[in-house]
Amino acid sequence: MLDILILGATGYTGRLISRYLAAHRQRATFTFGLAARSQQKLKALTDELGDSVFQVATFIVDVTQPDNVEMVIQEARVIINAVGPFWRWGTPVVEACVRHKRHYVDISGEFPWVREIIHKQVAFSISYLPPANTKCAPFCRFDHAAAKSNTLIVPCAGLDSVPTDLITYVANKTLKASAGPTTGIDMSTSAWELDSFGLSGGSFSTFLTALEHIPKHKLKAAVVGFALSPVRGTSSPRRRAFYTLPILDPPIRGTLSTHSSANTQVVQRSWGLFELATRYPKVVFPPELSITVDTQGYSYGTAFKYEEFLALPSRLHALRAFTFLISVSLAIIFFPPARWIARKLMPQPGRGPTDEQLEAGSVRVTNITTSTPDSDGRTVSARTILKGKGEPLYLLTSILVSEAALAIVLDKDGFPPLGRHGGVLTPATAFGDVLIRRLHACGHFNIESEVLP
């Protein structure tokens, strides 16, 4: 059996993932395969990769055919899914992975779809169901079935939303190390600085799918706060045109970003999963799992709130960006001819930034997280900075999802308790410090965190 199978290996991001794994520093310690719909494109990819993919298995798979998906995912321990839009093609892949106990990571940023797979009810074999004396419908949710079978399902393992999720996780650890293990978070704010990023045809297709194929009531349900979380928390501030990162001098300012909704929902799911484990440890980790943990050490606290924005040089730049974003979004949503024009102007599926653009980009995320007041009314603030070297949306996404898959293959014993348990998890709850160490080691990422005086 292969260690990793890349589904959609000949798509734009799929090719980047294939190239990264083929040249990986630990290449001798894992095996991987390539799966795509076109034999001709698979041949072109293996020719491009050359000797680095000697004896790498290839598979023809059509994700529109569930039986085809069912067979191919059984070939590997971990599936990297790079086939979007996930609302249309992702669910059968997740279902097959849960059914056959195959771990799963993807590059999705489609939080309405993530909500769907968390709550979707499907009949599985009786081995997945709870004991007969428990109250349960004759169907199991993906989340429950994956946890029951110790299977990891981790969507949003690319730039949506690993940096946001890990930076909050690290900030929480920094505060607890300084102010004590019971310290909670009051407010966490991140400012994103992106340099040289492009748009692929697949990403634009995903955006249009959300408009044209996802039912409006499901879109509406997915944008509510804590829509992905198993428990509800304290509402975060409303999205707005102007933001300022607190405490820092000089200040970092900006406006709302296109990916902030997805990232916030993922962070809130991490909060909710940690909070659930803290409140009901014996339910989340029953004795038969043999997992013991100080769950309080992972909790962000009941007052936790999160927001993020796109950093820009001035308020004028923020106003221009905000106006442009709102205008384009409204035009595409309410004026169908604008979609036709956009389809003509945007890259076609399979196309994206050039190799020169991929190497030239970067990302920097600066986070300020402030604790809740202690008994004397004092608070502590931490500054956490994540730096990524390379074009953010595609090159860094391919690295992030690849390292997540390799973490499952090579480092699963070091995962946090939820990651050793299974379920539909987030990058922070599944991989924790293991993924942070891997990102430092790969040479493209660095995360630093300190308590501010």
Side-chain angles (χ1 to χ4, degrees):
M1 181 185 294
L2 297 169
D3 289 318
I4 298 170
L5 180 67
I6 306 167
L7 198 60
T10 60
Y12 182 77
T13 308
R15 293 200 309 272
L16 296 179
I17 296 168
S18 303
R19 284 160 53 176
Y20 182 74
L21 288 177
H24 197 275
R25 68 189 187 283
Q26 294 179 297
R27 179 66 185 88
T29 64
F30 65 91
T31 58
F32 76 98
L34 311 172
R37 185 169 54 181
S38 167
Q39 177 66 61
Q40 182 179 1
K41 290 182 178 180
L42 272 174
K43 176 63 165 58
L45 176 59
T46 55
D47 288 346
E48 175 191 342
L49 297 176
D51 293 340
S52 60
V53 291
F54 179 67
Q55 291 185 335
V56 167
T58 59
F59 303 88
I60 303 300
V61 59
D62 184 349
V63 295
T64 67
Q65 304 297 320
D67 290 346
N68 203 200
V69 171
E70 191 91 10
M71 287 188 293
V72 78
I73 66 96
Q74 297 181 61
E75 300 292 337
R77 295 168 55 199
V78 182
I79 305 299
I80 298 178
N81 190 5
V83 182
F86 291 84
W87 181 269
R88 299 184 68 183
W89 315 123
T91 303
V93 180
V94 173
E95 181 173 352
C97 285
V98 174
R99 190 185 305 278
H100 296 286
K101 302 182 183 180
R102 299 301 190 260
H103 303 300
Y104 170 98
V105 292
D106 71 34
I107 59 172
S108 169
E110 302 173 37
F111 59 96
W113 174 73
V114 176
R115 185 176 188 274
E116 189 80 357
I117 65 167
I118 290 170
H119 297 291
K120 186 174 177 62
Q121 292 186 320
V122 179
F124 288 105
S125 67
I126 194 66
S127 63
Y128 289 97
L129 295 176
N133 62 349
T134 62
K135 294 182 179 179
C136 180
F139 293 88
C140 256
R141 294 182 304 164
F142 280 164
D143 187 25
H144 175 81
K148 186 79 173 175
S149 62
N150 195 225
T151 302
L152 280 170
I153 305 295
V154 189
C156 303
L159 202 81
D160 291 327
S161 302
V162 173
T164 289
D165 204 26
L166 289 187
I167 210 169
T168 313
Y169 173 87
V170 171
N172 179 57
K173 290 185 62 179
T174 300
L175 288 181
K176 283 178 164 52
S178 172
T182 62
T183 304
I185 295 173
D186 179 26
M187 187 70 205
S188 183
T189 305
S190 297
W192 283 68
E193 300 172 65
L194 297 168
D195 177 43
S196 180
F197 65 94
L199 183 68
S200 78
S203 293
F204 183 67
S205 175
T206 294
F207 174 67
L208 291 183
T209 293
L211 294 178
E212 298 174 346
H213 297 280
I214 301 178
K216 296 296 186 290
H217 71 281
K218 293 194 174 184
L219 272 176
K220 185 176 180 180
V223 300
V224 174
F226 299 90
L228 305 185
S229 174
V231 293
R232 291 195 60 81
T234 303
S235 297
S236 295
R238 289 180 175 274
R239 300 179 73 193
R240 53 199 184 275
F242 302 111
Y243 290 80
T244 301
L245 199 62
I247 299 176
L248 297 185
D249 186 21
I252 297 177
R253 297 189 176 95
T255 189
L256 61 85
S257 64
T258 55
H259 55 267
S260 64
S261 292
N263 290 349
T264 299
Q265 292 287 6
V266 170
V267 170
Q268 288 177 342
R269 179 160 177 79
S270 291
W271 170 85
L273 290 169
F274 285 142
E275 191 66 21
L276 191 69
T278 301
R279 295 181 191 180
Y280 309 106
K282 292 183 179 179
V283 175
V284 178
F285 306 112
E288 60 267 24
L289 290 180
S290 299
I291 296 176
T292 59
V293 60
D294 175 14
T295 52
Q296 186 67 47
Y298 292 91
S299 171
Y300 297 171
T302 57
F304 173 75
K305 298 175 286 294
Y306 180 83
E307 65 178 3
E308 67 179 38
F309 62 92
L310 179 65
L312 292 167
S314 68
R315 183 163 283 229
L316 179 59
H317 284 84
L319 179 60
R320 288 174 177 172
F322 176 78
T323 303
F324 176 78
L325 175 63
I326 295 300
S327 300
V328 170
S329 299
L330 291 175
I332 292 178
I333 292 170
F334 296 109
F335 189 56
R339 299 178 202 171
W340 181 87
I341 295 171
R343 282 191 172 97
K344 294 295 183 182
L345 296 176
M346 291 295 106
Q348 295 302 304
R351 296 182 178 272
T354 64
D355 284 350
E356 291 77 14
Q357 291 171 324
L358 290 174
E359 295 301 327
S362 65
V363 62
R364 178 187 175 104
V365 185
T366 304
N367 173 275
I368 298 294
T369 295
T370 301
S371 71
T372 52
D374 63 16
S375 58
D376 296 322
R378 294 173 298 190
T379 62
V380 179
S381 294
R383 174 174 56 194
T384 308
I385 299 175
L386 178 147
K387 298 176 184 177
K389 181 182 178 182
E391 191 282 328
L393 299 184
Y394 302 102
L395 179 62
L396 295 187
T397 282
S398 68
I399 294 170
L400 289 166
V401 76
S402 297
E403 293 295 345
L406 287 170
I408 299 173
V409 172
L410 303 175
D411 303 313
K412 193 170 184 292
D413 289 344
F415 282 3
L418 287 166
R420 283 180 277 141
H421 184 190
V424 180
L425 302 180
T426 62
T429 57
F431 311 125
D433 295 328
V434 167
L435 183 55
I436 293 168
R437 288 193 293 269
R438 295 197 67 86
L439 295 182
H440 282 163
C442 80
H444 284 266
F445 289 92
N446 184 60
I447 305 175
E448 297 178 348
S449 187
E450 62 179 348
V451 172
L452 293 175

